Amino acid sequence: MLQITLRRIFLAGYVALAPLAAQATVFPLPQHGNMVGNLQAVTSHRDDTLLDIGRFYDIGYNQEVGANPGVNPWLPGQASKVVIPNEYVLPAGPWRGIVVNIPARRIYFFPEGRGVVFTYPVGVFLPGWKESLTTTSIIQKFKMPAWYVPKNIHAWFEKKFHMDIPWYWPPGAENPMGELAMETGLSGIFIHGTYHPWGIGMRSSQGCFQMYPENVAQLFPMVPVGTPVRIIDEPNMVGERNGQIYLQCYKPLHAYHKDGPTDLQRAVVAIKQFMAANHLHEEIDWARVRRMVAEHNTVALPIGKGTPTYATLVQALPAKPYAYAPYGPAANGAAVPPPLPLASQANKDQINVKVYLPGQKSS
Protein backbone atom coordinates (compact mmCIF):
# COMPACT_ATOMS: atom_id res chain seq x y z
CA MET A 1 0.00 0.00 0.00
CA LEU A 2 2.81 2.43 0.85
CA GLN A 3 4.51 1.70 -2.48
CA ILE A 4 1.28 2.47 -4.35
CA THR A 5 0.79 5.68 -2.38
CA LEU A 6 4.35 6.85 -3.11
CA ARG A 7 3.95 6.16 -6.81
CA ARG A 8 0.71 8.13 -6.86
CA ILE A 9 2.27 11.08 -5.03
CA PHE A 10 5.35 11.27 -7.29
CA LEU A 11 3.62 10.57 -10.61
CA ALA A 12 1.01 13.26 -10.02
CA GLY A 13 3.74 15.88 -10.02
CA TYR A 14 5.88 14.40 -12.77
CA VAL A 15 2.99 14.24 -15.23
CA ALA A 16 2.21 17.92 -14.56
CA LEU A 17 5.83 18.99 -15.06
CA ALA A 18 6.75 16.70 -17.95
CA PRO A 19 6.74 19.39 -20.69
CA LEU A 20 8.38 22.07 -18.57
CA ALA A 21 12.00 23.10 -18.13
CA ALA A 22 13.98 22.58 -14.95
CA GLN A 23 13.57 26.23 -13.93
CA ALA A 24 9.86 26.30 -14.67
CA THR A 25 7.81 28.63 -12.54
CA VAL A 26 4.69 28.15 -14.62
CA PHE A 27 2.23 25.32 -14.07
CA PRO A 28 -1.08 24.40 -15.69
CA LEU A 29 -3.95 25.12 -13.35
CA PRO A 30 -5.23 21.83 -11.90
CA GLN A 31 -8.44 20.45 -13.36
CA HIS A 32 -9.15 18.88 -9.99
CA GLY A 33 -7.92 19.96 -6.58
CA ASN A 34 -5.71 22.96 -5.86
CA MET A 35 -2.10 21.79 -6.14
CA VAL A 36 0.64 22.19 -8.74
CA GLY A 37 4.23 21.04 -9.17
CA ASN A 38 6.14 18.23 -7.52
CA LEU A 39 8.96 17.48 -5.12
CA GLN A 40 12.34 17.07 -6.78
CA ALA A 41 15.84 16.31 -5.54
CA VAL A 42 19.40 16.85 -6.69
CA THR A 43 22.82 15.90 -5.40
CA SER A 44 25.12 18.83 -4.77
CA HIS A 45 28.75 19.28 -5.74
CA ARG A 46 31.33 20.71 -3.41
CA ASP A 47 31.00 24.42 -4.32
CA ASP A 48 27.20 24.62 -4.16
CA THR A 49 25.12 26.39 -1.55
CA LEU A 50 21.43 25.85 -0.91
CA LEU A 51 20.93 29.43 -2.06
CA ASP A 52 22.50 28.68 -5.46
CA ILE A 53 20.37 25.58 -5.98
CA GLY A 54 17.24 27.28 -4.70
CA ARG A 55 17.69 30.30 -6.96
CA PHE A 56 18.12 28.10 -10.03
CA TYR A 57 14.77 26.43 -9.28
CA ASP A 58 13.07 29.71 -8.24
CA ILE A 59 12.92 28.73 -4.57
CA GLY A 60 13.47 31.27 -1.79
CA TYR A 61 15.74 30.90 1.22
CA ASN A 62 12.91 30.04 3.61
CA GLN A 63 11.70 27.15 1.46
CA GLU A 64 15.07 25.65 0.57
CA VAL A 65 16.34 25.73 4.16
CA GLY A 66 13.01 24.54 5.59
CA ALA A 67 12.85 21.58 3.22
CA ASN A 68 16.41 20.46 4.04
CA PRO A 69 16.72 20.35 7.84
CA GLY A 70 20.19 19.48 9.03
CA VAL A 71 21.82 20.53 5.75
CA ASN A 72 24.29 23.41 6.05
CA PRO A 73 22.84 26.08 3.72
CA TRP A 74 26.29 27.50 2.93
CA LEU A 75 28.14 24.22 2.52
CA PRO A 76 25.87 21.24 1.77
CA GLY A 77 28.93 19.21 0.79
CA GLN A 78 29.79 16.86 -2.02
CA ALA A 79 26.97 14.55 -3.16
CA SER A 80 24.49 15.71 -0.51
CA LYS A 81 20.87 15.06 -1.40
CA VAL A 82 19.03 18.38 -1.62
CA VAL A 83 15.24 18.53 -1.85
CA ILE A 84 13.67 21.06 -4.22
CA PRO A 85 10.20 21.78 -2.73
CA ASN A 86 8.72 22.80 -6.07
CA GLU A 87 5.20 21.72 -5.12
CA TYR A 88 2.54 24.17 -4.04
CA VAL A 89 -0.90 24.38 -2.54
CA LEU A 90 -2.43 27.30 -4.39
CA PRO A 91 -3.96 30.13 -2.36
CA ALA A 92 -7.70 30.27 -1.94
CA GLY A 93 -9.55 31.78 -4.90
CA PRO A 94 -10.29 33.77 -6.84
CA TRP A 95 -7.40 32.72 -9.08
CA ARG A 96 -6.90 36.01 -10.89
CA GLY A 97 -4.22 38.65 -11.04
CA ILE A 98 -1.45 38.64 -8.44
CA VAL A 99 -1.72 37.01 -5.03
CA VAL A 100 1.03 37.56 -2.44
CA ASN A 101 1.06 35.13 0.49
CA ILE A 102 3.26 36.82 3.07
CA PRO A 103 4.13 33.81 5.30
CA ALA A 104 4.93 31.72 2.21
CA ARG A 105 7.02 34.60 0.85
CA ARG A 106 5.67 33.84 -2.61
CA ILE A 107 3.82 35.58 -5.41
CA TYR A 108 1.29 33.76 -7.57
CA PHE A 109 0.29 35.30 -10.91
CA PHE A 110 -2.80 34.04 -12.71
CA PRO A 111 -2.77 35.61 -16.21
CA GLU A 112 -6.26 36.05 -17.58
CA GLY A 113 -7.47 33.37 -19.99
CA ARG A 114 -4.27 31.29 -20.04
CA GLY A 115 -5.14 28.54 -17.56
CA VAL A 116 -1.73 28.66 -15.86
CA VAL A 117 -0.11 30.04 -12.72
CA PHE A 118 3.34 31.60 -12.42
CA THR A 119 4.85 31.53 -8.94
CA TYR A 120 7.98 33.23 -7.61
CA PRO A 121 9.69 33.69 -4.23
CA VAL A 122 9.79 37.16 -2.72
CA GLY A 123 11.45 39.00 0.15
CA VAL A 124 8.92 40.46 2.60
CA PHE A 125 8.98 43.04 5.36
CA LEU A 126 11.41 43.06 8.26
CA PRO A 127 10.33 42.60 11.90
CA GLY A 128 8.84 45.84 13.12
CA TRP A 129 7.14 46.53 9.78
CA LYS A 130 3.78 45.26 8.64
CA GLU A 131 1.93 45.07 5.33
CA SER A 132 -1.82 45.50 4.99
CA LEU A 133 -3.88 42.42 4.17
CA THR A 134 -6.01 43.87 1.45
CA THR A 135 -6.82 44.01 -2.25
CA THR A 136 -5.27 46.65 -4.49
CA SER A 137 -3.94 46.79 -8.07
CA ILE A 138 -0.90 47.63 -10.16
CA ILE A 139 -1.17 51.36 -10.90
CA GLN A 140 2.17 52.06 -12.63
CA LYS A 141 5.21 50.24 -14.02
CA PHE A 142 8.77 51.57 -14.12
CA LYS A 143 11.90 50.51 -15.98
CA MET A 144 15.15 51.58 -14.31
CA PRO A 145 13.32 53.29 -11.43
CA ALA A 146 14.79 55.91 -9.14
CA TRP A 147 14.01 55.67 -5.43
CA TYR A 148 12.99 58.61 -3.28
CA VAL A 149 13.43 57.33 0.26
CA PRO A 150 10.32 57.76 2.46
CA LYS A 151 10.88 59.64 5.71
CA ASN A 152 10.00 56.65 7.90
CA ILE A 153 12.56 54.42 6.15
CA HIS A 154 15.25 57.10 6.35
CA ALA A 155 14.56 57.51 10.08
CA TRP A 156 14.62 53.72 10.59
CA PHE A 157 18.11 53.41 9.09
CA GLU A 158 19.33 56.31 11.18
CA LYS A 159 17.92 54.86 14.41
CA LYS A 160 18.83 51.20 13.86
CA PHE A 161 22.17 51.45 12.06
CA HIS A 162 23.20 55.08 12.70
CA MET A 163 23.31 55.51 8.93
CA ASP A 164 22.42 58.68 7.10
CA ILE A 165 21.41 57.06 3.82
CA PRO A 166 20.83 59.17 0.70
CA TRP A 167 17.35 60.62 0.20
CA TYR A 168 17.56 59.87 -3.52
CA TRP A 169 18.92 56.79 -5.28
CA PRO A 170 19.35 57.20 -9.05
CA PRO A 171 18.55 54.39 -11.48
CA GLY A 172 21.27 51.79 -11.85
CA ALA A 173 22.97 48.78 -10.37
CA GLU A 174 23.10 50.21 -6.83
CA ASN A 175 19.41 51.07 -6.65
CA PRO A 176 17.62 48.98 -3.97
CA MET A 177 14.56 48.75 -6.26
CA GLY A 178 16.50 46.97 -8.95
CA GLU A 179 15.85 47.56 -12.63
CA LEU A 180 12.08 46.92 -12.81
CA ALA A 181 9.30 47.95 -10.45
CA MET A 182 5.50 47.70 -10.36
CA GLU A 183 3.71 50.16 -8.09
CA THR A 184 0.64 49.00 -6.21
CA GLY A 185 -2.21 51.19 -4.99
CA LEU A 186 -0.79 51.00 -1.46
CA SER A 187 1.29 54.04 -0.59
CA GLY A 188 4.97 53.38 -1.28
CA ILE A 189 4.52 49.63 -1.86
CA PHE A 190 6.05 48.11 -4.99
CA ILE A 191 6.75 44.68 -6.42
CA HIS A 192 10.29 45.12 -7.68
CA GLY A 193 13.71 43.66 -8.30
CA THR A 194 16.55 44.12 -5.87
CA TYR A 195 20.28 44.76 -5.74
CA HIS A 196 20.49 42.16 -2.96
CA PRO A 197 18.96 39.01 -4.54
CA TRP A 198 20.20 36.68 -1.81
CA GLY A 199 17.58 38.19 0.51
CA ILE A 200 14.76 36.59 -1.46
CA GLY A 201 12.73 34.29 0.75
CA MET A 202 13.79 36.28 3.81
CA ARG A 203 12.36 39.23 5.72
CA SER A 204 14.44 41.85 4.00
CA SER A 205 12.34 44.89 3.08
CA GLN A 206 10.49 47.81 4.64
CA GLY A 207 7.20 46.75 3.07
CA CYS A 208 7.83 46.16 -0.63
CA PHE A 209 7.98 42.72 -2.23
CA GLN A 210 11.43 41.99 -3.65
CA MET A 211 12.08 39.51 -6.46
CA TYR A 212 15.08 37.85 -8.08
CA PRO A 213 16.09 40.07 -11.04
CA GLU A 214 15.46 37.25 -13.52
CA ASN A 215 12.00 36.60 -12.05
CA VAL A 216 10.82 40.21 -12.18
CA ALA A 217 12.17 40.37 -15.76
CA GLN A 218 9.81 37.52 -16.65
CA LEU A 219 6.83 38.82 -14.68
CA PHE A 220 7.06 42.53 -15.56
CA PRO A 221 6.00 42.36 -19.25
CA MET A 222 3.12 39.98 -18.49
CA VAL A 223 1.41 42.22 -15.93
CA PRO A 224 -0.73 45.06 -17.33
CA VAL A 225 -1.51 48.17 -15.34
CA GLY A 226 -4.79 47.54 -13.53
CA THR A 227 -3.94 43.95 -12.60
CA PRO A 228 -5.55 43.15 -9.22
CA VAL A 229 -3.21 42.41 -6.32
CA ARG A 230 -4.41 40.51 -3.26
CA ILE A 231 -2.18 40.34 -0.16
CA ILE A 232 -2.97 37.45 2.18
CA ASP A 233 -1.76 35.79 5.37
CA GLU A 234 -2.09 32.01 4.93
CA PRO A 235 0.62 30.18 6.92
CA ASN A 236 -1.27 26.85 6.77
CA MET A 237 -2.40 26.02 3.24
CA VAL A 238 -4.65 23.00 2.83
CA GLY A 239 -4.73 21.18 -0.51
CA GLU A 240 -6.17 18.18 -2.28
CA ARG A 241 -4.64 16.06 -5.00
CA ASN A 242 -5.97 12.73 -6.25
CA GLY A 243 -8.33 12.50 -3.30
CA GLN A 244 -5.57 13.00 -0.70
CA ILE A 245 -5.45 15.97 1.67
CA TYR A 246 -2.20 17.92 1.96
CA LEU A 247 -0.91 20.58 4.33
CA GLN A 248 1.79 23.12 3.55
CA CYS A 249 3.04 24.99 6.63
CA TYR A 250 5.00 28.22 6.59
CA LYS A 251 6.30 30.13 9.59
CA PRO A 252 3.52 32.45 10.77
CA LEU A 253 4.16 36.17 11.13
CA HIS A 254 2.75 36.96 14.52
CA ALA A 255 2.38 40.62 13.62
CA TYR A 256 -0.96 39.46 12.21
CA HIS A 257 -2.16 37.41 15.16
CA LYS A 258 -0.45 38.21 18.43
CA ASP A 259 -3.59 37.18 20.32
CA GLY A 260 -6.31 34.62 19.75
CA PRO A 261 -6.02 30.99 18.61
CA THR A 262 -2.69 29.18 18.55
CA ASP A 263 -0.92 28.24 15.31
CA LEU A 264 -2.12 24.66 15.73
CA GLN A 265 -5.71 25.70 16.34
CA ARG A 266 -5.71 27.81 13.19
CA ALA A 267 -4.30 24.89 11.19
CA VAL A 268 -6.95 22.51 12.51
CA VAL A 269 -9.72 24.97 11.65
CA ALA A 270 -8.29 25.44 8.14
CA ILE A 271 -8.18 21.67 7.56
CA LYS A 272 -11.71 21.06 8.81
CA GLN A 273 -13.14 23.96 6.83
CA PHE A 274 -11.40 22.79 3.66
CA MET A 275 -12.66 19.24 4.11
CA ALA A 276 -16.22 20.41 4.72
CA ALA A 277 -16.21 22.80 1.75
CA ASN A 278 -14.89 20.09 -0.60
CA HIS A 279 -16.83 17.14 0.88
CA LEU A 280 -13.67 15.23 1.81
CA HIS A 281 -13.69 12.52 4.46
CA GLU A 282 -10.10 11.28 4.79
CA GLU A 283 -8.99 10.30 8.30
CA ILE A 284 -6.36 12.83 9.37
CA ASP A 285 -3.12 12.04 11.19
CA TRP A 286 -3.38 14.83 13.75
CA ALA A 287 -0.03 13.98 15.32
CA ARG A 288 1.61 14.68 11.96
CA VAL A 289 -0.30 17.94 11.65
CA ARG A 290 1.01 18.99 15.07
CA ARG A 291 4.61 18.28 14.02
CA MET A 292 4.22 20.08 10.71
CA VAL A 293 2.81 23.21 12.32
CA ALA A 294 5.70 23.21 14.81
CA GLU A 295 8.38 22.61 12.16
CA HIS A 296 6.86 24.68 9.27
CA ASN A 297 9.26 23.07 6.78
CA THR A 298 7.39 24.65 3.80
CA VAL A 299 6.78 21.31 2.02
CA ALA A 300 3.31 20.23 0.93
CA LEU A 301 2.79 16.84 2.60
CA PRO A 302 -0.10 14.37 2.75
CA ILE A 303 -1.72 14.29 6.18
CA GLY A 304 -4.06 11.31 5.92
CA LYS A 305 -3.47 8.38 8.22
CA GLY A 306 -1.20 5.80 6.60
CA THR A 307 0.27 8.21 4.05
CA PRO A 308 4.08 8.41 3.84
CA THR A 309 6.03 10.71 6.12
CA TYR A 310 8.39 13.38 4.82
CA ALA A 311 11.39 11.19 5.66
CA THR A 312 9.92 8.33 3.64
CA LEU A 313 9.14 10.59 0.69
CA VAL A 314 12.65 12.05 0.67
CA GLN A 315 14.28 8.63 0.91
CA ALA A 316 12.25 7.44 -2.09
CA LEU A 317 12.71 10.59 -4.14
CA PRO A 318 15.02 10.07 -7.14
CA ALA A 319 17.93 12.52 -7.25
CA LYS A 320 20.05 13.67 -10.16
CA PRO A 321 23.35 15.59 -9.95
CA TYR A 322 22.94 19.36 -9.94
CA ALA A 323 24.77 20.32 -13.10
CA TYR A 324 25.54 24.02 -12.73
CA ALA A 325 28.31 26.17 -11.31
CA PRO A 326 27.52 28.61 -8.48
CA TYR A 327 26.11 31.99 -9.47
CA GLY A 328 29.20 33.88 -8.39
CA PRO A 329 29.79 37.64 -7.95
CA ALA A 330 28.15 38.53 -11.28
CA ALA A 331 24.74 37.60 -9.82
CA ASN A 332 25.02 39.73 -6.68
CA GLY A 333 23.36 42.83 -8.10
CA ALA A 334 20.17 44.11 -9.73
CA ALA A 335 20.89 42.84 -13.25
CA VAL A 336 19.63 39.56 -14.65
CA PRO A 337 22.56 37.14 -14.26
CA PRO A 338 24.07 35.47 -17.31
CA PRO A 339 23.15 31.83 -17.96
CA LEU A 340 24.87 29.53 -15.50
CA PRO A 341 27.79 27.54 -16.89
CA LEU A 342 28.03 23.85 -16.20
CA ALA A 343 30.06 22.88 -13.16
CA SER A 344 33.63 21.85 -13.84
CA GLN A 345 34.28 18.15 -14.12
CA ALA A 346 36.34 18.24 -10.93
CA ASN A 347 33.33 19.53 -9.02
CA LYS A 348 30.95 17.07 -10.67
CA ASP A 349 33.03 14.03 -9.77
CA GLN A 350 30.76 12.44 -7.22
CA ILE A 351 28.94 9.26 -6.49
CA ASN A 352 25.63 9.35 -8.36
CA VAL A 353 23.45 7.12 -6.24
CA LYS A 354 20.06 6.20 -7.66
CA VAL A 355 17.27 6.05 -5.12
CA TYR A 356 14.53 3.50 -5.79
CA LEU A 357 10.96 3.43 -4.65
CA PRO A 358 10.22 0.68 -2.12
CA GLY A 359 9.81 -2.60 -3.94
CA GLN A 360 11.73 -1.56 -7.05
CA LYS A 361 14.87 -3.43 -8.08
CA SER A 362 17.98 -1.84 -9.50
CA SER A 363 18.89 -2.80 -13.05
Side-chain angles (χ1 to χ4, degrees):
M1 178 61 72
L2 181 59
Q3 179 183 350
I4 295 173
T5 302
L6 284 168
R7 287 179 183 274
R8 184 167 60 174
I9 288 170
F10 289 139
L11 288 176
Y14 288 132
V15 170
L17 273 184
L20 303 176
Q23 280 183 280
T25 57
V26 56
F27 303 100
L29 289 177
Q31 295 184 355
H32 305 284
N34 62 337
M35 294 183 61
V36 296
N38 66 295
L39 287 179
Q40 299 167 272
V42 297
T43 51
S44 60
H45 52 72
R46 66 187 183 190
D47 291 337
D48 291 327
T49 69
L50 290 191
L51 279 73
D52 284 302
I53 295 172
R55 184 173 180 178
F56 179 81
Y57 287 98
D58 290 332
I59 304 293
Y61 178 88
N62 63 318
Q63 285 182 272
E64 197 62 20
V65 171
N68 292 279
V71 177
N72 187 324
W74 308 107
L75 193 65
Q78 186 82 341
S80 293
K81 189 173 188 179
V82 176
V83 175
I84 312 297
N86 206 359
E87 181 175 39
Y88 303 100
V89 176
L90 295 177
W95 290 347
R96 60 187 296 264
I98 290 172
V99 181
V100 185
N101 187 4
I102 291 178
R105 305 174 196 177
R106 288 200 77 84
I107 277 180
Y108 308 83
F109 174 54
F110 302 90
E112 187 174 357
R114 293 181 58 182
V116 299
V117 57
F118 291 81
T119 180
Y120 307 98
V122 292
V124 300
F125 57 83
L126 289 155
W129 298 78
K130 183 179 177 180
E131 196 47 80
S132 300
L133 303 176
T134 187
T135 298
T136 180
S137 64
I138 299 297
I139 62 171
Q140 291 191 81
K141 297 168 61 176
F142 300 92
K143 295 181 179 179
M144 301 302 292
W147 186 41
Y148 295 87
V149 182
K151 290 183 179 179
N152 62 336
I153 294 179
H154 196 278
W156 181 83
F157 272 96
E158 189 171 27
K159 180 179 179 180
K160 189 171 181 68
F161 299 110
H162 306 290
M163 292 174 60
D164 185 19
I165 67 171
W167 287 95
Y168 170 77
W169 295 69
E174 298 302 316
N175 191 304
M177 295 188 72
E179 297 184 343
L180 298 167
M182 296 175 283
E183 184 179 5
T184 74
L186 303 176
S187 178
I189 302 303
F190 293 75
I191 299 169
H192 62 79
T194 175
Y195 69 163
H196 184 53
W198 301 111
I200 303 304
M202 300 183 187
R203 300 183 66 177
S204 55
S205 83
Q206 283 79 32
C208 290
F209 302 108
Q210 302 171 339
M211 300 181 67
Y212 288 131
E214 60 270 29
N215 285 171
V216 74
Q218 183 183 48
L219 180 63
F220 186 90
M222 294 191 292
V223 176
V225 170
T227 296
V229 177
R230 183 160 53 100
I231 302 171
I232 63 173
D233 168 45
E234 290 188 13
N236 302 300
M237 304 182 74
V238 187
E240 182 267 327
R241 175 179 263 173
N242 294 332
Q244 289 188 328
I245 300 174
Y246 284 69
L247 182 64
Q248 191 162 21
C249 292
Y250 298 97
K251 186 174 183 178
L253 277 72
H254 290 287
Y256 292 119
H257 34 75
K258 295 178 181 178
D259 302 312
T262 66
D263 297 340
L264 179 59
Q265 288 169 333
R266 282 193 298 272
V268 170
V269 169
I271 293 166
K272 290 186 174 181
Q273 287 179 342
F274 182 87
M275 292 176 67
N278 293 278
H279 309 289
L280 299 170
H281 305 286
E282 188 173 11
E283 187 177 3
I284 301 300
D285 185 341
W286 293 110
R288 181 179 301 175
V289 169
R290 185 179 297 108
R291 289 192 299 272
M292 289 178 64
V293 171
E295 295 169 355
H296 40 74
N297 78 344
T298 78
V299 179
L301 297 174
I303 56 174
K305 282 204 170 179
T307 54
T309 65
Y310 184 48
T312 302
L313 288 170
V314 170
Q315 183 180 15
L317 191 62
K320 60 181 181 180
Y322 179 67
Y324 298 93
Y327 277 83
N332 290 342
V336 175
L340 287 182
L342 295 175
S344 68
Q345 188 59 47
N347 287 341
K348 289 195 294 183
D349 284 340
Q350 59 184 357
I351 301 172
N352 182 15
V353 179
K354 291 187 177 180
V355 181
Y356 295 91
L357 297 175
Q360 285 186 315
K361 295 181 179 179
S362 59
S363 56

